[in-house]
Amino acid sequence: MRCGLVRKELREHGWVVLLLWLACGLALLTLWRRVDRDGSPFVSLGYLVATFGPLLSLAVTNRLVVREYGGRTQLFLETLPVTRARVVATKWFLGAGLTLLPIVAALVATAAWGSGRVLLTARFLTLLAARSLSFVLWFYALAFVIGLLGRYRFVAWGFLLTGGIALDTLTQTPLDQLPPFALVSSGFGLERQTLPAAALLITWSITAVLLPCAFALALAGEGALSSMLARRMTRREMIVVAVAALVPIALLAFLDNRKPKPDFHLASAIVVEHGGQKVGIAGTARLDVASARALGDTIASDVSELKDYLGLARIPTIYVLPDASLDGDVFQRAALPASDGVVVRGAFGASGFEEEEFRAFVIGEVIDWYTRGRAAGEEQRWLFDGFKQWWVGRRLSSFEERLRRRAAAGATRFTPDVEALRRWLTVREQLGDCLSDALAWRVVSVLAQGAGPSNMRSLAREVWGRRPADDARVLLDPSFERVLQRTTGLTIPNLAAMTAKTLSEENTGLAACGDAPSSWSAGIETRPAGGGLYEIRYRLESSGDKPGSYAVRYTKLQPWDGEIGRSSLSRVDAVRDGVLPLTVERGTRMFAGVEVRDEALQCTVRIGARRWVVP
Amino acid sequence: MHPVVRLEKVSRRFGKVHALDELSLEVREGEIYGFLGRNGAGKTTTLRILIGILRPDSGSIDLFGGRVKRVTVSLKQRIGYVSQEPTFYPWMTAEQLGRFVGGFYRTWDATEFRRLMRLLDIPERRRSVELSGGTRAKLGLALALASRPSLLLLDEPTAGLDAVARREFNDLLAQLHRERGTTVILSSHQVGEVEQLAQRVGIIQAGRACFEGDAATLRAQVRKVTSPLPIGLPDGFEQVRGDIYRAAPERWDSWVWPEGTQISILTLEEIFLGFARTDHGAPGS
């Protein structure tokens, strides 16, 4: 080493190194206070080595390498009587010393402080020294090489970081169990006997490769390579690097999303199999084993038939979780971030729980799962909503009759014309799930009748029978209306006209029955509440019998909110006109509607629903 | 006088670019050698080879009377170098730079460095980043001279300086050369300063030597010929460019030119421009 060069480096970077050493000492003192929790002061030392080792390495190499080459002052050194190799060697060994010294000091200090707390043996201390110094020296050697990459050093760090995350994410390889990280992993302060020979050997080997790499980079092209790398990036380079950095990250996220997830499994569930389809019912006090098996068998039968009808490939076991905390007419599907499958919840045995409705819900969720959620797209939503009802109702005349009455009731408030069929989410929002599903059922039943069983099946298979690609290829899929016309020969206007005719005939029957929903009306109004705030008042009116109680559903909306799920709505139970328990500012986007339970229809009906911006 | 530096057919490429193309030159002991060439002609590459920063691809180098394969550290101890754009450590003062650089030279003379700083009017305690371009150039010269080098390489040291600073620098260089007799290679594209300082001149163009000798000889050899009649290339004459010809001085006197022909004697700058414009490519530097 050149003394003059060492003196220069210490004069230039000494204060930074001293500050880091001081921080390292303070961190050690802080970590010692955790000794009761950690069990050994050397566990605390492990934390220090794992954090301050890399930190010191980064800071020291940044000062010694990046600053020298970035400032192009190495060109001045080249004019002096000293070889490049000697300059690099001086920097490398000086930096290694500055990085390792505080670690050695921390080890000695911890040994001195901890001698009364834990038994110290020469072997234990040797193990600690070997593990900590090898790890820190490896990281230092890596940081030195990357520092010589100049303007590409951040790219290199990003690449290594992304690579590490990719390895961890895609292969489930725990990095902290692999050398060199294994040297400072959880066993650092506790392992007293076993020498991690393989980890040490690998770490030393990597360090031994990194050292000549540093020299090669610094000396290549008579120093021209490192000098060229140290120049600032051009704008074009920045763009290329940004794109090159984003592509692997996006790819990683993409691959992670596409990674097959394990099927959901509930070991305690009662599993029933029918036609190759398994359904698991979780046990509950409200549902005895026999009822659970019967329900499971019915659902398995529905799904098994659906598989044959649509030509679906494998469907994982469907799990049904009874949940008494839900309303009877509320069914939910669980979001499964770590596993795959269809898991649904319903309040079995609760007031208002209808098994047919639940079966239709399960059918819908199976189709939704198989089509990766695309079946619920607005363009074909009426088909999706109506088909699941139609599937269950086609062999249950009582359920079909109920649907017919609901559809007729819905039609008195909303005609399923061409516009409605193309914007079915508006129909759902206005009528609520129950009436809109029934109206959709009516459209689908008209379609099934008009197209014939074979064409109906062709349509269903075409739109849902193939698992769609989970990427941009889905953009190549033909539009739903084209598929409808090709498979059934019907267009949306044809269908709307046919449905309107059918409903018109049925409305006559409904009038004769004297069903009531059309006699109810609701109002939602915004009124100033003072201080620049507004309150929202609701009222329910009826030309006939007024319901005893009803609910007001509401929520604040964001500009981009599309479909409003029922579970995302707040609820206020009411018996008379009132004010919602919130005040809003001008410009707030709101949705609110009144929901009334119509016992004649066995259905919760939504009235007076509106979206608006508080003026 | 013995040659201190002799290059023979030295070539150096950077990728596809020939920075030096079989360059030969000779610098004698105690002289100021003016190394003239356009930007990119190969002057800096030549000096960087001589200080050992670069190695030639081919050719031979003699330094201080001995053939060298590469410029070793012990040879660099005898060479002072002032670069075109000195990249001193910005946080160091002139005094600190002196101490730092002095640590690398066995022959460093701290007293001489202080004397030079006083002579060149360099503030001792001001950081190098705060110095003006002219003062930085002077500091480079002081640092290069304080080691008492046998050979001083000046790579366009006055580039970027204003006329006054350039004149001051050149006067000091001439004074120091008179005092010490150090061999100097002064690279420049400023013909005036080379003409003022150098005993001998080398003109380099596109990595090749076009001329080497003293300025007076060059002026005697190269003249401008203006004739009302077309003239062919007479025996012993070489056309430099257009109507500028080169020949041995005695040929100019002995040749019979057509009536009405005018022969003009050129300044060194006009001659340099004549050489410099013969080639349009300007690879390497």
Side-chain angles (χ1 to χ4, degrees), chain B residues 258-273:
Chain B
E259 196 172 342
T261 301
Q262 286 187 342
I263 310 294
S264 314
I265 293 175
L266 300 173
T267 63
L268 185 61
E269 182 156 8
E270 287 168 327
I271 296 169
F272 171 63
L273 289 173

Side-chain angles (χ1 to χ4, degrees), chain A residues 29-296:
Chain A
L29 289 175
T30 311
L31 286 168
W32 280 351
R33 299 181 66 181
R34 291 167 47 107
V35 69
D36 291 338
R37 193 168 6 145
D38 294 339
S40 164
F42 296 103
V43 174
S44 310
L45 180 72
Y47 296 137
L48 186 89
V49 171
T51 52
F52 264 83
L55 195 67
L56 278 163
S57 303
L58 286 170
V60 167
T61 53
N62 187 64
R63 298 292 300 191
L64 289 178
V65 181
V66 177
R67 210 174 139 92
E68 184 85 63
Y69 286 81
R72 300 176 66 77
T73 43
Q74 93 281 7
L75 300 177
F76 176 57
L77 284 178
E78 286 179 349
T79 66
L80 300 175
V82 59
T83 60
R84 281 190 196 92
R86 199 157 186 184
V87 170
V88 177
T90 303
K91 282 179 175 287
W92 201 96
F93 288 105
L94 175 68
L98 294 175
T99 309
L100 293 178
L101 197 62
I103 303 297
V104 172
L107 181 62
V108 171
T110 308
W113 186 73
S115 58
R117 290 175 172 78
V118 289
L119 177 66
L120 292 183
T121 61
R123 185 178 179 81
F124 180 44
L125 288 175
T126 308
L127 270 176
L128 290 171
R131 292 174 80 136
S132 53
L133 297 181
S134 301
F135 173 77
V136 175
L137 191 65
W138 160 76
F139 196 91
Y140 169 77
L142 177 70
F144 198 97
V145 169
I146 291 179
L148 281 167
L149 293 178
R151 62 184 186 272
Y152 296 116
R153 65 189 184 281
F154 295 118
V155 179
W157 284 120
F159 179 77
L160 288 177
L161 195 67
T162 315
I165 294 169
L167 195 70
D168 185 53
T169 310
L170 300 178
T171 67
Q172 308 291 324
T173 308
L175 275 185
D176 64 333
Q177 303 299 315
L178 297 177
F181 299 103
L183 292 177
V184 290
S185 63
S186 53
F188 176 83
L190 304 171
E191 177 55 58
R192 308 178 70 90
Q193 291 299 323
T194 311
L195 183 79
L200 282 172
L201 199 63
I202 291 171
T203 306
W204 292 341
S205 304
I206 299 171
T207 310
V209 171
L210 288 170
L211 181 60
C213 281
F215 277 84
L217 264 175
L219 304 180
E222 295 164 315
L225 179 63
S226 51
S227 181
M228 184 266 290
L229 289 171
R231 283 182 204 145
R232 292 172 72 98
M233 276 195 196
T234 60
R235 279 181 187 278
R236 185 180 297 179
E237 259 183 316
M238 281 181 191
I239 292 166
V240 170
V241 165
V243 171
L246 287 174
V247 164
I249 291 169
L251 195 66
L252 190 62
F254 176 71
L255 290 175
D256 189 38
N257 280 338
R258 293 178 74 90
K259 191 175 60 176
K261 294 174 182 171
D263 286 352
F264 180 83
H265 179 66
L266 186 64
S268 62
I270 300 163
V271 177
V272 180
E273 186 170 352
H274 189 112
Q277 179 59 47
K278 288 181 181 173
V279 172
I281 312 281
T284 173
R286 284 200 179 191
L287 198 65
D288 58 61
V289 173
S291 304
R293 284 194 171 280
L295 177 67

Side-chain angles (χ1 to χ4, degrees), chain A residues 2 4-5 7-9 11-12 67-68 71-84 91 221-222, chain B residues 12 48 51-55 73 76-77 81 83 87-92 96-97 99-101 103-105 143:
Chain A
R2 289 298 304 218
L5 198 55
R7 273 198 300 274
K8 188 277 289 183
E9 303 293 8
R11 185 186 281 266
E12 187 176 4
R67 210 174 139 92
E68 184 85 63
R72 300 176 66 77
T73 43
Q74 93 281 7
L75 300 177
F76 176 57
L77 284 178
E78 286 179 349
T79 66
L80 300 175
V82 59
T83 60
R84 281 190 196 92
K91 282 179 175 287
E222 295 164 315
Chain B
R12 169 72 200 213
R48 286 167 76 85
I51 191 67
I53 295 172
L54 299 175
R55 286 189 199 177
V73 169
K76 282 175 88 172
Q77 290 274 353
Y81 179 79
S83 76
T87 48
F88 303 132
Y89 290 100
W91 54 273
M92 281 191 187
Q96 286 169 337
L97 268 168
R99 274 208 298 275
F100 173 62
V101 172
F104 291 92
Y105 289 95
L143 288 168

Side-chain angles (χ1 to χ4, degrees), chain B residues 141-282:
Chain B
L141 184 64
L143 288 168
L145 287 171
S147 63
R148 298 194 171 277
S150 307
L151 172 64
L152 182 60
L153 307 177
L154 304 176
D155 185 9
E156 301 191 29
T158 58
L161 301 191
D162 62 42
V164 177
R166 193 183 309 141
R167 172 58 65 91
E168 276 181 10
F169 184 92
N170 289 337
D171 290 347
L172 283 166
L173 179 63
Q175 181 191 337
L176 291 168
H177 180 255
R178 276 196 301 276
E179 288 172 8
R180 295 185 173 195
T182 308
T183 309
V184 178
I185 301 180
L186 172 63
S187 147
S188 179
H189 55 260
Q190 302 279 348
V191 183
E193 74 182 16
V194 169
E195 195 166 18
Q196 177 202 340
L197 293 166
Q199 284 86 51
R200 292 200 317 127
V201 174
I203 298 177
I204 181 173
Q205 178 61 20
R208 283 172 174 269
C210 304
F211 171 81
E212 188 180 69
D214 60 82
T217 304
L218 187 59
R219 277 198 294 271
Q221 285 179 348
V222 182
R223 293 179 192 181
K224 184 177 179 180
V225 180
T226 315
S227 173
L229 300 170
I231 51 170
L233 190 64
D235 285 345
F237 281 78
E238 175 196 346
Q239 189 177 24
V240 174
R241 180 182 65 84
D243 49 7
I244 298 175
Y245 293 84
R246 179 180 179 183
E250 58 274 16
R251 292 293 294 160
W252 286 105
D253 299 332
S254 60
W255 189 258
V256 180
W257 298 93
E259 196 172 342
T261 301
Q262 286 187 342
I263 310 294
S264 314
I265 293 175
L266 300 173
T267 63
L268 185 61
E269 182 156 8
E270 287 168 327
I271 296 169
F272 171 63
L273 289 173
F275 280 115
R277 287 178 185 172
T278 48
D279 288 322
H280 292 285

